Amino acid sequence: MQFKRIGVLTSGGDAPGMNAAIRSVVRTAIGRGVEEVYGIYSGYKGLIEEDMELLNIRSVSNIISHGGTMLYSARCPEFKTEEGMQRAVDVCKKRGIDGIIAIGGDGTFRGATDLTRRGIPCIGIPATIDNDISSTDYTIGFDTAMNTVVELVDKLRDTCESHARCNVVEVMGKYAGDIALHTGIATGAISIAVRELPYDEDQAIAKIIKARENKKRNFIVIVAEGKENFAEAYAKRIEEKTGIETRFSRLAHVQRGGNPTVRDRVTASLMGKAAVMELLDGKSNLVICERKGVITSMDINKALKIDRMFKDLMTPEEYAELEAEGSLVDMRRHCEERAAAKLNLYRISQEICK
């Protein structure tokens, strides 16, 4: 199939580096002979409402350094309905859009596979600061978010040192504690708590008490938001059990903003190019991944299943289906490798953060 027009959209939570991916998609597509590239505003909502405009090499100049997404993002419950999806397909046919590059997270990819099933080829690019797309080792925005956390926690440590305080800092990561694990090590946090790994609260508090006896004055505890209803109450318990004045800080959406780092700009650029090349090669329903430092791709349906398996959301029926297909062993190995890497990071943090 010859692609004359393609669309690009961003959906879900914004992530630094999305603009770099948009830029790469537009410039690669035009450089490879695609006549027109539509920038679709506000994700699938904009597709349904036909809110889009043509992008060119110049219109994506100077966006690589900007956080957020120039195409904006919005929730779209209507797209989850058959009527909404058909409207999106009709818009694509009306505009002559032959395929779409969808940048975002797992919800974005589910939308992409729905469109592919209805005759609009789609390729997904993983962009989420949480790094919680299990099919890829890295998602666009992760590095920038971590650097933002490190900068803010370093500032908190300064005041903790001055007043001999503890600060419990909640960072983003509902299903994946990657931000917490990496920034906890990078900031020298005395303790890190994430939902997917066991946390010994008594041992952690004992460590804080021992460190204070050894004349330590500042204490940082990093908690991933996925450990729900924990961080704020934990700060109170630390103060009660140690006698150390303890504050709670929720960094929240400040982690989403800011100029993307080199890592995110380069990865987004590589993934953007790879997505266009896959589309032009006649492939669809794929998500671009980084695996062991190599940019590759995976079927979106497989990627979504791996994600559900890793997050322990898969039903017994789904497991049985995978076993019947003969893909269960491979998917389990993938999840086990990812879990082992995370556990190793956690163990390192316990050993060196004191």
Side-chain angles (χ1 to χ4, degrees):
M1 176 179 179
Q2 184 178 359
F3 288 80
K4 293 184 177 181
R5 297 175 189 84
I6 68 169
V8 57
L9 61 82
T10 54
S11 178
D14 60 310
M18 280 183 161
N19 283 328
I22 294 167
R23 172 180 177 270
S24 179
V25 166
V26 171
R27 291 187 170 181
T28 301
I30 292 174
R32 296 282 173 167
V34 175
E35 294 176 9
E36 295 178 331
V37 180
Y38 278 104
I40 301 166
Y41 289 103
S42 302
Y44 295 114
K45 181 175 183 289
L47 184 58
I48 288 174
E49 297 176 355
E50 204 173 343
D51 184 11
M52 60 184 71
E53 69 172 308
L54 289 173
L55 302 177
N56 56 48
I57 290 174
R58 294 280 67 83
S59 65
V60 294
S61 293
N62 303 321
I63 67 169
I64 194 169
S65 61
H66 297 170
T69 162
M70 66 167 286
L71 293 177
Y72 314 134
S73 187
R75 296 184 184 279
C76 186
E78 187 180 358
F79 186 71
K80 297 178 182 179
T81 68
E82 186 62 38
E83 182 183 359
M85 283 185 281
Q86 188 56 52
R87 190 174 301 167
V89 171
D90 291 343
V91 169
C92 287
K93 290 180 179 178
K94 175 184 175 182
R95 293 280 186 144
I97 295 175
D98 301 313
I100 288 177
I101 307 294
I103 305 167
D106 52 3
T108 304
F109 301 154
R110 282 190 289 271
T113 201
D114 287 337
L115 283 176
T116 299
R117 198 178 298 121
R118 288 163 176 79
I120 308 298
C122 293
I123 304 290
I125 297 176
T128 163
I129 67 166
D130 292 348
N131 202 42
D132 63 347
I133 303 297
S134 306
S135 58
T136 180
D137 295 339
Y138 188 84
T139 62
I140 296 166
F142 179 47
D143 189 61
T144 306
M146 288 193 296
N147 277 275
T148 297
V149 171
V150 168
E151 179 183 357
L152 295 173
V153 171
D154 283 349
K155 294 178 187 295
L156 284 173
R157 182 181 292 284
D158 290 343
T159 191
C160 285
E161 176 72 18
S162 297
H163 295 275
R165 287 177 182 153
C166 174
N167 210 306
V168 177
V169 182
E170 185 183 86
V171 300
M172 283 188 164
K174 183 176 181 181
Y175 289 109
D178 293 45
I179 292 177
L181 287 169
H182 285 80
T183 61
I185 292 174
T187 59
I190 197 163
S191 186
I192 304 168
V194 299
R195 68 177 289 275
E196 61 267 42
L197 293 170
Y199 184 71
D200 190 328
E201 183 175 317
D202 291 336
Q203 184 183 66
I205 288 175
K207 186 194 288 189
I208 292 172
I209 292 172
K210 182 177 180 181
R212 182 184 58 179
E213 291 172 350
N214 290 330
K215 308 302 181 184
K216 185 176 178 67
R217 288 180 57 86
N218 66 78
F219 307 89
I220 298 291
V221 177
I222 303 287
V223 180
E225 66 175 337
K227 203 165 177 62
E228 295 180 351
N229 303 315
F230 178 77
E232 191 167 6
Y234 187 35
K236 295 177 182 177
R237 291 195 297 273
I238 289 174
E239 183 163 335
E240 290 169 359
K241 295 180 180 181
T242 66
I244 299 170
E245 184 180 358
T246 304
R247 303 288 178 86
F248 167 68
S249 299
R250 178 178 286 122
L251 301 187
H253 287 80
V254 68
Q255 295 163 84
R256 289 196 184 280
N259 300 340
T261 60
V262 170
R263 173 81 158 100
D264 281 325
R265 297 183 197 197
V266 172
T267 303
S269 298
L270 295 176
M271 286 186 168
K273 178 181 178 181
V276 172
M277 297 307 295
E278 294 281 28
L279 196 62
L280 297 186
D281 282 345
K283 300 174 185 177
S284 64
N285 208 43
L286 298 176
V287 55
I288 303 301
C289 303
E290 181 187 289
R291 293 283 292 156
K292 298 179 180 179
V294 177
I295 302 296
T296 182
S297 63
M298 180 184 295
D299 179 81
I300 287 180
N301 292 318
K302 180 179 179 181
L304 290 171
K305 289 175 182 177
I306 286 176
D307 205 50
R308 286 179 58 76
M309 181 183 291
F310 187 76
K311 294 171 182 174
D312 200 25
L313 299 173
M314 190 168 278
T315 65
E317 292 76 16
E318 287 175 311
Y319 275 108
E321 183 181 335
L322 291 176
E323 190 167 19
E325 293 173 356
S327 56
L328 182 60
V329 172
D330 179 58
M331 286 191 179
R332 272 192 172 148
R333 185 183 302 113
H334 182 107
C335 292
E336 286 168 359
E337 287 177 0
R338 189 174 178 90
K342 190 169 294 192
L343 179 59
N344 183 56
L345 204 60
Y346 186 56
R347 286 172 174 166
I348 290 172
S349 74
Q350 290 181 309
E351 183 176 356
I352 65 175
C353 297
K354 298 181 179 180

